[in-house]
Amino acid sequence: MSFGHRTGLIVVAAMNPIVLVVTGHVTRDVVPALCTELETLLNGPRGAPVECDVGAVERADLALVEAVARLALVARRAGRQLRLRRVGPELQGLLDLVGLADVVALEGPEGRVPRP
């Protein structure tokens, strides 16, 4: 049995990311529910990127930082990295301060990755 060589470009199907949208005021009480929701979403397509949209969060504070840390842990346990979308300067500063900016990938409010 022989196989011919293919010519041309290899077609790779792009996977739609798994997106968790976080809105409103994040408190420590809602963090477990956010983690459960992400775990449920991770039961979807294998290998799909994991993104968390935080652009509609009312206030960047330590409760939000805790949520990001725990969501990153959930994603990492599933063998994936969490990418944050629409990260404002306040959250960016807090993540830098606590050392989480190196753990999650960050995308700024305009959709581009902030420069260090």
Side-chain angles (χ1 to χ4, degrees), residues 91-109:
L91 180 57
Q92 170 80 44
L94 284 172
L95 293 173
D96 286 338
L97 183 67
V98 298
L100 280 176
D102 296 334
V103 176
V104 296
L106 304 174
E107 186 179 283

Side-chain angles (χ1 to χ4, degrees), residues 52 54 68 82-87 91 95 104-107:
C52 181
V54 293
V68 168
L82 183 71
R83 175 181 201 85
L84 294 181
R85 295 193 316 194
R86 301 190 320 143
V87 177
L91 180 57
L95 293 173
V104 296
L106 304 174
E107 186 179 283

Side-chain angles (χ1 to χ4, degrees), residues 18-97:
I18 294 169
V19 180
L20 175 66
V21 179
V22 180
T23 62
H25 180 68
V26 177
T27 63
R28 294 186 79 201
D29 295 338
V30 301
V31 173
L34 289 172
C35 291
T36 301
E37 186 176 348
L38 182 58
E39 287 171 346
T40 302
L41 291 171
L42 286 170
N43 289 329
R46 291 243 183 251
V50 180
E51 298 182 357
C52 181
D53 188 330
V54 293
V57 170
E58 291 176 4
R59 191 171 108 201
D61 56 13
L62 290 178
L64 179 58
V65 170
E66 179 184 351
V68 168
R70 296 205 27 211
L71 290 169
L73 184 60
V74 168
R76 184 165 289 196
R77 285 181 180 156
R80 311 197 195 165
Q81 182 183 25
L82 183 71
R83 175 181 201 85
L84 294 181
R85 295 193 316 194
R86 301 190 320 143
V87 177
E90 299 86 10
L91 180 57
Q92 170 80 44
L94 284 172
L95 293 173
D96 286 338
L97 183 67

